[in-house]
Amino acid sequence: MTKVPGNTWTTLEPPLPSKASQNAFVEHARALAKVCRRERTEEAIEKARGAFVAEVTACRRSDRQTLLAAGLVITDLATQGWTVRVRSERVEVKPPDSVTDPLAEKARIRRQELVKRNAQLRQPSVQRFLESMERQRLHDGSYVSIYSLMRDGRDLAKGLREARTHLNNGWADALSKLVDPYLQFVTAENAACEFTGLRLMDVWRYFRHTWTNQYTSVPGRTMVFLVRDRAAANHPVMGIGALSSPIMQIRKRDSWIGWHPETFLDRVRTAPTRELAKWLVDTLDAAIDEIYVADLIEDGILSTRDLKTPSLAVIERLLKESAEARKKHQRFARSRDYKQKRSDFHGNEYWIAKARTHLFRSKRALALSTYLRARAVLDEAFDGKPTAEKLAALAKTGYGSDAIRRVLKKAKADRVGIAVADISVCGAVQPYNALLGGKLTAMMAASPEVVHQYRRRYAQAESEIASSMAGRPIVRASKLVLLGTTSLYGVGSSQYNRIKIPAERLGGNAGDVIRYAELGRSEAFGTSQYSEETVHALVELVQQSDAQRVNSIFGEGVSPKLRKVRQALDLLNLPSGMLLRHHRPRIVYAVSLIKNLDDYLIGAAKRPEYIVPVNEGVAATAAIGAWWRERWLRNRIISDDVLDEVERHTTVRPVTHGARVPLQRAAPQQPMYSDLSPELPEG
């Protein structure tokens, strides 16, 4: 394994309040350093963690939280491959070296993920859920369980071996009778599988627990689906997927679609048009019109005239008001005050009440100051007549570029939550893994049927932030046009690479394609390297301090957990910039579903030009299945090794099936199946 040099040692000096707590931290670090030198196994690190936590409980109360948080952080670092050492009573850590061996890097990441996944599977509530899914129950006269939705690999492998005899003639018909995928959306909380009576959400959740990484819920919009096989009894599950609200800032994605400020400014400077100039004015006008101002006018912060002809004085008053309202929010905010029910209000009263909270008064005043400053710049530059020439001149100035950036940011905010979704879960369920069922699930995620379902689900959804800023319901058209995702591993993705679907096969035009475009690698920042126990300790530390700035109130900002962890690390005098870097950059992918992506995603184009018409729906999904059989399955089954892999997944007791969640079981013949669980998810 080749190591790439460059990582250096960093000293950790948390402000522990007593000599006893300082000694406890150093001794815990020594124990971890010993484990790192010798074995670095999950069991050894967990033993050191348990001994440390027990020692913390014996410390005096004033020492406990700081010591616990600091000790758990360094424990998780050791778990994630960091090296720990103690020199002259000084604790030092070094991040894991990058490796050029892809297999070694995948193994390292897999080990990291399995630590949290296995801890989750040991939770009593999770074990009770899994046991209930595996327990037989009577449904429509037959005994069924989650095993009823797993395809027996022996039967499938036998059929595929017979199908190989048709590969030169009649293969399409032979394979379609063996594997016939379709989409099933989990559209209601209690929607049930018609073959087993199991809740579809429970079915989805069960198979999600077979993934390498732990199952977590995602805030915002979420739409989950199953890929099922109608060619076999009970229509077994082939794969699972989920679309979620997208990550707000991904530089590679934003540059690719024209959202990144410098990319957009390059476009404006090299190809200015009257349409772009007018778009700037129209977007800014709409942004100002969408802000509730009644209370600001009542309190003399601004006047209706200021909205049309802003002055520096009104901008300064708004900035001052924003800062004062933010201070009041941080001082008086209580989460329960922000959880009032919509049904308790009449008409627009709910949104007006939200707008008048300290939090949204601060946000509204700040936004207005930004938009009015930009309006003053555009008014002076265009003088009521936006043209390409005037836009080009504006973009050459610093203040003009700043105004353009601010308008672009607003345009992005209007579209990112409704027109873009992340594929947060995507992968195959055994025995379909070996047959490249992960690629099938990824292709299904881009089906017009998914776009149609997304539009139906969120057609009447009121934007929480925009409505709270406007003091009235704001509903934006949920026309999904872009999918994004990342690989689990930063060294390659067998699931997403080379996916290219000919549009003409789905009802589109010849020459057009839907494809997964590889955009580059993401920045490796986040909190995924820390256990729930550690995050809880860090959050408790912040809450016990006098410096809490994050209340987990919707509207305060994105990633409240990340911001809380960052604040806690700062309180511990630990380098948050370094410790929030999980040293696992991921490959960023994007799937454009329309032809006019750049213009539609800034609002310059009103209608998306879909590569495949949305009304193709179910027919397009079936065509994707046929294309997958032709492009991937047909060639895959030529390999005896592949079919041998399929064959070993059986539901005959004792169950040895990779779609079974890997739990510790008492019976000796029941193996641990961690080596059989899917290598992915790559969402």
Side-chain angles (χ1 to χ4, degrees):
M1 180 172 65
T2 304
K3 294 186 177 180
V4 180
N7 291 333
T8 57
W9 292 96
T10 299
T11 302
L12 303 185
E13 299 177 295
L16 298 167
S18 68
K19 184 64 176 176
S21 60
Q22 294 168 12
N23 290 340
F25 180 70
V26 171
E27 288 307 311
H28 179 50
R30 281 199 175 98
L32 291 174
K34 183 178 179 180
V35 171
C36 291
R37 287 195 303 270
R38 295 184 177 179
E39 43 192 330
R40 197 191 288 277
T41 63
E42 179 184 346
E43 292 77 12
I45 294 177
E46 281 301 308
K47 184 177 179 180
R49 180 198 294 267
F52 169 72
V53 172
E55 185 174 356
V56 170
T57 59
C59 293
R60 67 186 189 187
R61 186 177 299 274
S62 60
D63 289 8
R64 289 177 190 170
Q65 199 59 44
T66 302
L67 175 60
L68 177 64
L72 290 179
V73 166
I74 193 173
T75 305
D76 283 351
L77 295 180
T79 302
Q80 301 296 328
W82 290 57
T83 303
V84 182
R85 73 182 184 187
V86 179
R87 289 193 169 185
S88 302
E89 303 301 304
R90 189 175 62 199
V91 176
E92 298 178 336
V93 296
K94 186 177 72 169
D97 291 312
S98 300
V99 296
T100 56
D101 181 348
L103 293 178
E105 179 67 358
K106 284 188 174 184
R108 179 181 76 86
I109 294 173
R110 183 177 172 83
R111 286 195 302 271
Q112 292 179 0
E113 292 291 352
L114 285 174
V115 169
K116 296 177 73 173
R117 196 283 300 270
N118 292 341
Q120 183 180 58
L121 295 184
R122 288 193 292 267
Q123 295 175 4
S125 60
V126 175
Q127 292 202 8
R128 286 193 297 271
F129 166 74
L130 299 175
E131 289 167 1
S132 71
M133 295 295 288
E134 294 177 356
R135 188 182 307 121
Q136 286 194 338
R137 67 196 72 193
L138 192 63
H139 178 74
D140 287 348
S142 300
Y143 282 98
V144 296
S145 68
I146 192 65
Y147 299 136
S148 305
L149 300 180
M150 299 178 191
R151 183 88 183 254
D152 190 283
R154 296 171 307 168
D155 175 68
L156 178 58
K158 179 181 178 182
L160 291 173
R161 286 192 172 96
E162 293 175 357
R164 290 196 301 194
T165 63
H166 299 283
L167 287 184
N168 293 324
N169 186 27
W171 62 267
D173 185 56
L175 289 181
S176 68
K177 291 178 180 178
L178 285 169
V179 185
D180 188 9
Y182 68 94
L183 283 168
Q184 183 174 38
F185 299 93
V186 183
T187 56
E189 178 67 21
N190 295 315
C193 169
E194 63 177 303
F195 302 101
T196 63
L198 296 170
R199 287 176 66 243
L200 290 176
M201 192 63 230
D202 288 345
V203 171
W204 189 93
R205 178 188 169 191
Y206 180 92
F207 289 121
R208 174 61 181 83
H209 277 304
T210 65
W211 259 229
T212 298
N213 57 357
Q214 69 171 337
Y215 166 58
T216 57
S217 59
V218 180
R221 295 184 174 187
T222 300
M223 188 175 80
V224 303
F225 62 87
L226 304 165
V227 179
R228 302 188 68 167
D229 188 352
R230 64 166 55 89
N234 298 327
H235 293 195
V237 176
M238 300 181 68
I240 63 172
L243 301 188
S244 304
S245 294
I247 297 173
M248 292 297 293
Q249 304 289 342
I250 300 182
R251 185 184 181 93
K252 296 294 184 182
R253 177 202 66 192
D254 291 354
S255 296
W256 184 71
I257 64 180
W259 263 351
H260 191 272
E262 296 311 313
T263 304
F264 185 73
L265 280 169
D266 285 343
R267 174 185 175 184
V268 171
R269 290 164 182 158
T270 57
T273 64
R274 179 182 177 278
E275 288 72 25
L276 276 178
K278 190 173 184 303
W279 166 82
L280 280 172
V281 175
D282 292 344
T283 302
L284 191 56
D285 288 347
I288 294 172
D289 289 343
E290 276 191 2
I291 294 183
Y292 179 77
V293 296
D295 58 335
L296 298 176
I297 293 175
E298 291 167 6
D299 296 338
I301 307 298
L302 80 164
S303 66
T304 53
R305 182 177 180 181
D306 291 325
L307 295 173
K308 297 296 182 183
T309 55
S311 63
L312 181 59
V314 74
I315 292 171
E316 291 176 347
R317 287 200 301 272
L318 287 167
L319 287 171
K320 181 179 178 181
E321 180 60 27
S322 175
E324 291 177 354
R326 174 64 70 164
K327 289 178 182 177
K328 292 177 181 177
H329 166 70
Q330 292 172 344
R331 182 177 179 184
F332 302 115
R334 296 179 300 178
S335 294
R336 65 175 179 268
D337 295 336
Y338 289 80
K339 296 180 180 178
Q340 297 167 305
K341 294 181 180 179
R342 183 84 158 85
S343 58
D344 294 339
F345 295 83
H346 299 288
N348 293 340
E349 290 178 359
Y350 173 77
W351 295 119
I352 291 174
K354 295 273 285 188
R356 285 176 174 261
T357 60
H358 294 312
L359 172 61
F360 279 98
R361 184 177 171 103
S362 172
K363 292 171 70 73
R364 287 185 291 115
L366 180 61
L368 263 181
S369 69
T370 298
Y371 300 152
L372 293 182
R373 190 187 300 274
R375 172 169 275 180
V377 171
L378 295 188
D379 286 349
E380 181 180 354
F382 294 152
D383 193 24
K385 295 181 180 180
T387 65
E389 293 76 14
K390 292 177 181 178
L391 176 60
L394 177 68
K396 292 178 181 179
T397 66
Y399 59 85
S401 296
D402 183 66
I404 293 171
R405 288 190 189 96
R406 294 179 188 277
V407 176
L408 175 66
K409 183 178 180 180
K410 169 59 177 172
K412 175 185 175 181
D414 287 347
R415 296 286 191 184
V416 67
I418 61 168
V420 182
D422 280 348
I423 305 173
S424 54
V425 174
C426 182
V429 170
Q430 293 284 21
Y432 297 97
N433 286 51
L435 301 175
L436 302 183
K439 285 188 181 293
L440 170 66
T441 307
M443 289 191 283
M444 289 290 201
S447 170
E449 188 179 359
V450 171
V451 176
H452 177 69
Q453 182 66 34
Y454 186 88
R455 185 179 298 182
R456 285 185 58 192
R457 174 168 296 194
Y458 296 110
Q460 303 302 319
E462 297 174 352
S463 170
E464 184 78 16
I465 297 295
S467 300
S468 298
M469 294 286 282
R472 66 181 190 275
I474 300 294
V475 178
R476 306 195 194 282
S478 296
K479 298 178 180 178
L480 190 62
V481 302
L482 178 70
L483 301 174
T485 193
T486 59
S487 63
L488 179 60
Y489 307 108
V491 293
S493 169
S494 59
Q495 178 161 293
Y496 298 121
N497 62 4
R498 295 184 293 155
I499 290 183
K500 186 183 296 185
I501 311 170
E504 62 184 312
R505 297 287 295 264
L506 313 185
N509 295 328
D512 290 338
V513 296
I514 295 175
R515 67 186 182 94
Y516 276 74
E518 183 178 326
L519 309 185
R521 281 169 171 73
S522 66
E523 295 293 332
F525 288 94
T527 61
S528 63
Q529 64 272 40
Y530 295 114
S531 68
E532 292 183 11
E533 182 184 13
T534 302
V535 171
H536 178 73
L538 291 169
V539 171
E540 282 289 313
L541 178 67
V542 172
Q543 291 174 342
Q544 292 179 16
S545 74
D546 296 326
Q548 182 173 358
R549 300 188 300 270
V550 184
N551 298 288
S552 294
I553 292 172
F554 190 77
E556 278 190 327
V558 297
S559 304
K561 182 170 76 171
L562 175 63
R563 290 183 289 126
K564 286 179 181 179
V565 171
R566 183 187 299 277
Q567 187 178 353
L569 292 173
D570 291 340
L571 288 172
L572 289 171
N573 195 33
L574 302 180
S576 58
M578 170 180 287
L579 298 186
L580 287 173
R581 190 179 187 93
H582 51 65
H583 296 272
R584 287 166 46 188
R586 299 181 175 187
I587 302 173
V588 179
Y589 294 90
V591 185
S592 175
L593 304 176
I594 63 174
K595 301 176 184 179
N596 56 338
L597 186 69
D598 51 354
D599 280 343
Y600 183 77
L601 282 183
I602 63 170
K606 302 303 179 185
R607 295 178 179 275
E609 299 174 9
Y610 281 97
I611 296 172
V612 177
V614 176
N615 59 13
E616 291 294 329
V618 175
T621 298
I624 289 174
W627 171 249
W628 169 77
R629 287 192 296 264
E630 176 182 337
R631 173 65 179 85
W632 301 105
L633 182 61
R634 180 186 182 187
N635 295 324
R636 190 71 172 170
I637 64 175
I638 295 174
S639 168
D640 288 329
D641 290 340
V642 167
L643 296 189
D644 288 345
E645 167 63 21
V646 171
E647 191 173 36
R648 72 188 185 95
H649 300 282
T650 175
T651 54
V652 175
R653 294 185 182 276
V655 176
T656 55
H657 200 293
R660 186 183 192 184
V661 176
L663 272 178
Q664 294 275 1
R665 292 179 171 85
Q669 71 269 23
Q670 301 292 347
M672 283 288 290
Y673 296 109
S674 59
D675 60 319
L676 304 181
S677 59
E679 282 292 331
L680 306 163
E682 305 230 56

